[in-house]
């Protein structure tokens, strides 16, 4: 009766969507437990690209139920667009998509506040996706939020108006920030009607009953460990707990049900938005990683910052999440590099450190281990033991440093481009 977890170990975009889609058919249910439409999870189904923002990445697997958990913040507008894009492929979508009655709703004014707050921060801005995520979670913890279950109460429009008015009082401080509220409200109310087509449940009882029957559940994380609101590079983080602990609060599942934690990391590192990134490459090598890896945001299209794999950071993420299996993605992006580096320690205030410091921006220098690249395609490889020696050396260094086994190696964006141990 286990719950397995798939989540990101870096700054997001590790390829979680692809791996969830690959493994989903081994589970009865796939659940999103946190985040919102700041996420962009890319799947290739029959050579066609789909980017999911709110719907769990198990939706393309026939017979798999997909649950949007209470820990998620949901924008009905993006959800409606997403449904319209994938519906032609998934005629039984509404039979396989369920929604928690406690999921928080993103209002148009949440997006407006996000925009106003970021504009006010100027150079200090977080680099938010401007999807209203932070303001919505602030209303949740401030106990002002509006939840899916509220839509089924007679006074739901009044509740909307009261919250909107609170938001407008705040927004009045920023008269220069432009936002067409009337237009956005119209679309929002229309999209609520689509939302009503989704069956609403209490995830607590629904998932508990499934576990009692011995069914398997897969929890899909969004963002990555270094964007966790408590343990990430605060304040340059998102507003939810992206780590394994978030599964329990974001779905209503007790911790003893969690079995495997599959941590996803790229063979290098990327980050979108502001904040410290110790192994970042601001040179031609970084540009090559961006080019080879097509590193442009799935949600905003922004160029992603690129750098070498950081083993100190990775080990921190493994500890926080209790990772039991590692999946390294985008190894193919390194195919044409003569030399590769991985970060193994930091210098902070003239001291060598192998732990992530309180503030990563205090790192003065990063020490790297260098390797020879493999300079060949990995397309033909379907098993670990057929991989070039240099790839195996790279993998063993990661395993040795982190003390966790790499069970999955992703060699391309397609569903089947995956080597499984
Ligand atoms: P997610 O947010 O963690 O689901 O990741 P994104 O979808 O935002 O970004 C990952 C990108 O890398 C997507 O464009 C994927 O199609 C692509 N991708 C995933 N795995 C691989 C891989 O092994 N190799 C290559 N070249 N691309 C991959
Ligand atoms: P997936 O699930 C990468 C980043 C933003 C910004 C910070 C805060 O696709 O991996 P927010 O919109 O939450 O206020 O932004 O977090 N960010 C992500 N970066 N992948 C994501 O999701 C992200 N979701 C948020 O770029 O720096
Ligand atoms: Mg993404």
């Amino acid at each position: 009766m286990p719950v397995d977890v798939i989540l990101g170990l870096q700054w997001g975009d590790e390829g979680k969507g692809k791996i969830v889609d690959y493994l989903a058919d081994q589970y009865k249910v796939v659940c999103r437990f946190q985040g919102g439409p700041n996420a962009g999870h890319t799947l290739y189904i029959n050579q066609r690209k789909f980017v999911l923002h709110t719907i769990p990445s198990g939706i393309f697997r026939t017979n798999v139920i997909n649950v949007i958990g209470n820990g998620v913040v949901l924008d009905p507008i993006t959800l409606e667009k997403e449904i319209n894009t994938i519906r032609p492929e998934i005629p039984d979508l509404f039979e396989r998509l369920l929604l928690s009655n406690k999921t928080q709703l993103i209002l148009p004014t949440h997006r407006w506040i996000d925009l106003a707050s970021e504009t006010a921060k100027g150079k200090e801005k977080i680099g938010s996706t401007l999807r209203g995520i932070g303001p919505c979670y602030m209303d949740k913890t401030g106990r002002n939020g509006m939840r899916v279950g509220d839509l089924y109460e007679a006074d739901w429009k009044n509740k909307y108006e009261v919250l909107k008015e609170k938001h407008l009082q705040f927004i009045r401080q920023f008269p220069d920030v432009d936002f067409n509220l009337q237009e956005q409200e119209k679309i929002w109310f229309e999209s609520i009607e689509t939302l009503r087509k989704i069956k609403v449940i209490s995830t607590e009882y629904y998932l508990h009953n499934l576990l009692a029957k011995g069914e398997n559940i897969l929890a899909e994380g969004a963002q990555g460990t270094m964007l966790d609101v408590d343990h990430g590079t605060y304040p340059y983080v998102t507003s939810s707990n992206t780590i394994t602990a978030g599964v329990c609060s974001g779905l209503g599942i007790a911790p003893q049900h969690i079995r495997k934690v599959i941590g996803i990391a790229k063979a290098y590192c990327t980050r979108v938005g502001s904040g410290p990134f110790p192994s970042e490459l601001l040179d031609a090598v970084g540009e090559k990683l961006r080019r080879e890896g097509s590193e442009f945001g799935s949600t905003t299209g922004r160029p992603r910052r690129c750098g070498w794999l950081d083993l100190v950071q990775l080990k921190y993420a493994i500890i926080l999440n209790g990772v039991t299996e590692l999946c390294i993605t985008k190894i193919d992006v390194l195919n044409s590099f003569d030399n590769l580096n991985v970060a193994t320690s930091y210098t902070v205030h003239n001291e060598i450190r192998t732990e992530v410091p309180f503030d990563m921006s205090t790192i003065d220098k990063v020490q790297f281990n260098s390797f020879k690249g493999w300079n060949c395609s990995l397309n033909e490889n379907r098993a670990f033991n057929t991989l070039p020696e240099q790839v195996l050396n790279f993998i063993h260094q990661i395993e040795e440093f982190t003390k966790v086994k790499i069970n999955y190696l992703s060699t391309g964006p397609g569903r089947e481009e995956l080597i499984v141990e």
Side-chain angles (χ1 to χ4, degrees):
M1 41 171 231
V3 179
D4 291 342
V5 182
I6 290 185
L7 43 68
L9 299 179
Q10 296 158 324
W11 281 275
D13 304 327
E14 296 91 347
K16 300 174 289 294
K18 170 192 155 152
I19 305 299
V20 171
D21 167 62
Y22 178 86
L23 291 175
D25 66 350
Q26 300 174 17
Y27 297 86
K28 176 85 178 172
V29 181
V30 177
C31 312
R32 270 281 303 272
F33 59 91
Q34 46 69 234
N38 47 352
H41 296 180
T42 314
L43 320 184
Y44 280 89
I45 311 290
N46 302 327
Q47 273 90 51
R48 273 190 66 200
K49 178 179 170 174
F50 295 92
V51 182
L52 299 174
H53 302 286
T54 311
I55 298 175
S57 302
I59 199 71
F60 286 93
R61 294 290 196 174
T62 333
N63 301 328
V64 176
I65 309 280
N66 290 260
V67 173
I68 300 172
N70 59 277
V72 170
V73 289
L74 181 148
D75 187 338
I77 300 179
T78 5
L79 181 64
E80 183 178 44
K81 280 194 202 137
E82 208 168 313
I83 288 174
N84 290 341
T85 314
I86 65 172
R87 187 84 196 280
E89 311 293 318
I90 307 169
D92 63 344
L93 180 97
F94 288 111
E95 283 145 51
R96 293 198 289 111
L97 184 63
L98 302 173
L99 175 58
S100 163
N101 49 13
K102 302 192 181 73
T103 302
Q104 297 277 330
L105 291 171
I106 300 177
L107 273 50
T109 36
H110 282 132
R111 283 189 285 127
W112 195 356
I113 294 175
D114 219 357
L115 184 62
S117 310
E118 280 284 84
T119 310
K121 283 195 163 113
K123 275 216 258 162
E124 310 287 301
K125 73 172 183 192
I126 308 292
S128 164
T129 59
L130 302 178
R131 298 299 190 266
I133 308 295
C136 187
Y137 277 117
M138 279 165 72
D139 271 337
K140 174 182 178 173
T141 51
R143 294 156 296 178
N144 294 315
M146 200 173 159
R147 302 184 293 175
V148 164
D150 293 327
L151 297 173
Y152 295 85
E153 302 293 328
D155 68 341
W156 74 276
K157 283 198 173 158
N158 183 41
K159 192 153 191 174
Y160 171 90
E161 290 299 328
V162 171
L163 187 52
K164 179 180 96 176
E165 199 40 54
K166 264 203 185 100
H167 292 166
L168 290 177
Q169 278 174 29
F170 175 82
I171 289 163
R172 276 187 203 110
Q173 300 171 72
F174 309 96
D176 298 337
V177 178
D178 219 22
F179 191 86
N180 191 336
L181 183 59
Q182 249 187 349
E183 182 189 274
Q184 290 302 314
E185 271 190 313
K186 185 171 172 289
I187 311 172
W188 193 85
F189 278 103
E190 283 164 7
S191 65
I192 288 291
E193 296 316 309
T194 302
L195 193 69
R196 289 186 190 282
K197 293 186 193 159
I198 305 174
K199 189 172 173 206
V200 174
I201 55 161
S202 290
T203 55
E204 303 87 342
Y205 288 113
Y206 178 78
L207 297 176
H208 173 80
N209 290 338
L210 283 180
L211 289 170
K213 278 197 260 169
E215 302 286 5
N216 292 344
I217 293 171
L218 181 62
E220 172 181 7
Q223 289 80 54
T225 301
M226 301 312 284
L227 293 172
D228 181 274
V229 67
D230 282 280
H231 305 282
T233 49
Y234 193 87
Y236 300 100
V237 292
T238 189
S239 303
S240 64
N241 282 118
T242 60
I243 59 171
T244 308
V247 174
C248 297
S249 54
L251 294 174
I253 283 176
Q256 69 265 30
H257 293 298
I258 294 176
R259 179 179 60 173
K260 291 195 257 181
V261 178
I262 304 171
I264 318 282
K266 282 182 197 180
Y268 49 99
C269 276
T270 64
R271 169 162 212 174
V272 212
S274 324
F277 180 179
S279 64
E280 183 170 16
L281 289 160
L282 297 164
D283 56 9
V285 183
E287 269 165 43
K288 180 168 167 170
L289 279 173
R290 185 174 310 117
R291 195 174 57 245
E292 299 287 322
S294 309
E295 293 297 353
F296 296 90
S298 312
T299 298
T300 57
R302 290 178 292 177
R304 294 177 183 146
R305 298 157 63 192
C306 297
W308 295 120
L309 182 67
D310 182 341
L311 292 180
V312 181
Q313 177 277 308
L314 188 61
K315 194 159 183 179
Y316 174 68
I318 286 170
I319 295 168
L320 282 168
N321 290 298
V323 171
T324 59
E325 297 179 8
L326 270 175
C327 169
I328 301 294
T329 58
K330 305 192 90 162
I331 191 84
D332 54 300
V333 173
L334 303 181
N335 283 352
S336 63
F337 285 77
D338 293 333
N339 290 298
L340 305 171
N341 288 338
V342 294
T344 51
S345 62
Y346 307 139
T347 306
V348 184
H349 305 317
N350 294 322
E351 257 179 49
I352 304 279
R353 301 259 187 100
T354 50
E355 290 186 359
V356 170
F358 169 70
D359 178 356
M360 272 187 138
S361 66
T362 59
I363 295 170
D364 301 314
K365 229 176 104 205
V366 178
Q367 286 73 240
F368 293 95
N369 262 3
S370 288
F371 305 83
K372 268 208 131 10
W374 41 93
N375 268 308
C376 65
S377 157
L378 302 176
N379 278 351
E380 302 306 315
N381 289 96
R382 286 289 165 263
F384 276 93
N385 58 14
T386 65
L387 286 165
E389 189 194 321
Q390 296 89 336
V391 180
L392 290 175
N393 182 31
F394 184 75
I395 287 173
H396 289 151
Q397 284 267 342
I398 300 173
E399 290 181 332
E400 182 71 12
F401 196 99
T402 61
K403 306 282 183 253
V404 183
K405 195 165 162 35
I406 297 173
N407 289 61
Y408 304 92
L409 188 68
S410 177
T411 58
R415 191 187 261 175
E416 302 305 328
E417 290 175 291
L418 188 69
I419 301 175
V420 182
E421 178 75 31

